[in-house]
Amino acid sequence: MFKSSCLLIISCSEKVKQKIGEYRMGESHDSVKSKRIVFVTVGTTCFDSLVRAVDTQESTGEDGSLSVDYFTFSSSIAEYLKSASLVISHAGSGSIFETLRLKKPLIVVVNEDLMDNHQSELAEELAERNHLFCVFPQTLYQTISGMDLGSLVAYQPGDATPVANFINRFLGFNDE
Amino acid sequence: MDNRYSCFFSDMGFLNVAISFIIGISTLIMIRIFYVVYRSSKPLYSRPPGTLSTLIILGSGGHTAEMINLLAVMQMDRFKPRYYIAAATDNMSLQKARVLEDSLPDKAEVELVGTSQFMQIYRSREVGQSYVTSVGTTLIALSHALWLMIKIRPQVILCNGPGTCVPLCVIAFVFKVLGIRWSSIFYVESIARVRRLSLSGLLLYKLRMADQLFVQWPQLKSKYPRANYVGLFQVANFRLYWTSEETEVANHRIFQIKYD
């Protein structure tokens, strides 16, 4: 699924990391820059099915030449996002918008195990507007094989000013 | 003559008088509530007021980020003194609020006059807490909310969804009915809510406790006509270094890759 020139960085739960066993470090730092990076994040949730879908034998190449790095928590993922050429994320609105703001190609994976999955509404709506791809863990592989990143439309960040103006007018502050 | 009247009262008994009294008071309160709801939906002042004391209710993660986005485009000199309330177990939200406050141009004034205060409130129920103990903790949380509201008595309340906002807004509404303080309550539904309102939003909408409720998707506007549709505004240009990942796990190992 991913070419061997990719570096796969996965943020996942401690439990999953231990289950998978040793972490396979990337090669020396010099070669890191020449690799394309796919960043996979599950936010602060437990989304083991995504990690399993990504970290399969077929996705990492038979010869294990794909470099994979794991971490459980980072106070800011902005740096990882900036250096990624593709982001695969859970459906959290924070992760989604942080990625869209950096104009990175984004695949959102919906976690069916979550109760009251209102998050998927946002992912589906943005997918309908062609800002990202929205999939389930089982369909991740097919989507990546067949996707056309050129069909994605950039997301224009909005602005909170209309709300502020409304509040001001409501309270009697007249600006005009 | 006197005899007849005194007979009347002793026949009626104290109980009936009490019932009439209760019915009378209840009617007055109902009328007052209708008036409060009606008046709340209309713009408040005809002339620009001075400064308004403002309570900002922060929730975890995305809620705080969206609130910071909104605060970044509001004129802070109109909304002071500012009080921030976050849940007692939420450590990052107040930090982010402090970062925002530090970045404001009139920072010197903030320190001197102390126009911002940061407070924490007890949560009604932590994730995974048993429902039996939740009754107790909810009562504690409600009393704490009441105590904070009595101290603050804000004129403006800004909130966007976390469970902590419902008790505070209900108390603010009660204050309005009782004439203790008139607060304008503004509720902004999260951008993550596309087709349904969150529970907090639904409660405040149905009970008509929020003066104005804002939604960010047109689907919600058609479903809830009294809401105001303001378009999507997640991610303003404000350069605040916030995180989309926060965890309450005590042990976490940070494994960072350094790029040169």
Side-chain angles (χ1 to χ4, degrees), chain A residues 7 9 11 14 17 23 25 29 32-33 37 39 41-44 69-83 90 93-95 97-98 101 116-126 128-129 155-175, chain B residues 39-52 62 66 69-70 73-75 78-79 92 155-156 158 184 186 188 190-196 211-212 214 217-219 228-238 240-247 251-260:
Chain A
L7 168 65
I9 305 174
S11 135
E14 184 71 55
K17 196 166 87 174
Y23 18 88
M25 283 301 293
H29 285 184
V32 160
K33 271 194 192 142
I37 295 176
F39 180 58
T41 174
V42 299
T44 53
D69 241 307
Y70 302 78
F71 61 89
T72 53
F73 178 71
S74 162
S75 59
S76 170
I77 56 170
E79 289 304 319
Y80 301 111
L81 287 177
K82 276 185 208 156
S83 51
H90 74 131
S93 61
S95 296
F97 284 109
E98 209 173 340
R101 184 163 58 102
D116 181 30
N117 200 352
H118 77 268
Q119 283 184 342
S120 61
E121 289 178 14
L122 179 65
E124 284 161 20
E125 182 69 30
L126 291 173
E128 263 175 60
R129 297 182 181 211
Y155 173 74
Q156 299 302 330
D159 173 20
T161 318
V163 182
N165 289 341
F166 190 106
I167 291 178
N168 282 329
R169 278 199 317 269
F170 187 88
L171 293 172
F173 295 112
N174 296 315
D175 290 315
Chain B
R39 184 71 185 86
S40 297
S41 61
K42 305 259 175 289
L44 194 53
Y45 302 103
S46 45
R47 312 182 304 278
T51 60
L52 298 170
E66 293 197 40
N69 276 336
L70 173 60
V73 297
M74 292 182 71
Q75 287 95 328
R78 293 173 176 170
F79 299 96
M92 306 203 70
Q155 293 165 295
V156 173
L158 298 176
S184 301
F186 299 103
V188 185
S190 163
I191 195 171
R193 293 291 181 168
V194 180
R195 297 181 210 140
R196 295 173 294 156
D211 292 40
Q212 295 292 320
F214 300 96
W217 292 93
Q219 294 94 316
N228 298 293
Y229 169 58
V230 285
L232 316 180
F233 67 81
Q234 174 71 337
V235 187
N237 293 324
F238 186 64
L240 176 67
Y241 207 62
W242 56 272
T243 174
S244 58
E245 297 174 354
E246 293 146 72
T247 181
N251 292 329
H252 49 256
R253 279 175 53 202
I254 299 174
F255 214 110
Q256 292 203 333
I257 302 163
K258 304 264 187 277
Y259 292 111
D260 304 312

Side-chain angles (χ1 to χ4, degrees), chain A residues 47-68:
Chain A
F47 196 178
D48 298 350
S49 49
L50 168 58
V51 179
R52 272 194 290 271
V54 167
D55 198 34
T56 58
Q57 196 62 11
E58 53 182 2
S59 69
T60 56
E62 287 86 30
D63 54 352
S65 59
L66 177 69
S67 323
V68 181

Side-chain angles (χ1 to χ4, degrees), chain B residues 95-152:
Chain B
Q95 277 180 38
K96 289 176 193 162
R98 270 183 240 264
V99 172
L100 171 71
E101 289 287 332
D102 285 342
S103 72
L104 292 177
D106 58 348
K107 184 173 145 191
E109 194 186 328
V110 171
E111 286 178 57
L112 254 63
V113 180
T115 50
S116 303
Q117 277 197 51
F118 303 90
M119 301 166 172
Q120 294 189 305
I121 190 172
Y122 298 116
R123 268 204 233 261
S124 306
R125 180 177 170 271
E126 296 294 341
V127 175
Q129 186 183 344
S130 82
Y131 286 102
V132 174
T133 54
S134 295
V135 174
T137 51
T138 301
L139 287 174
I140 293 175
L142 282 172
S143 339
H144 192 215
L146 186 60
W147 167 242
L148 287 173
M149 283 300 287
I150 290 173
K151 269 195 349 183
I152 304 176

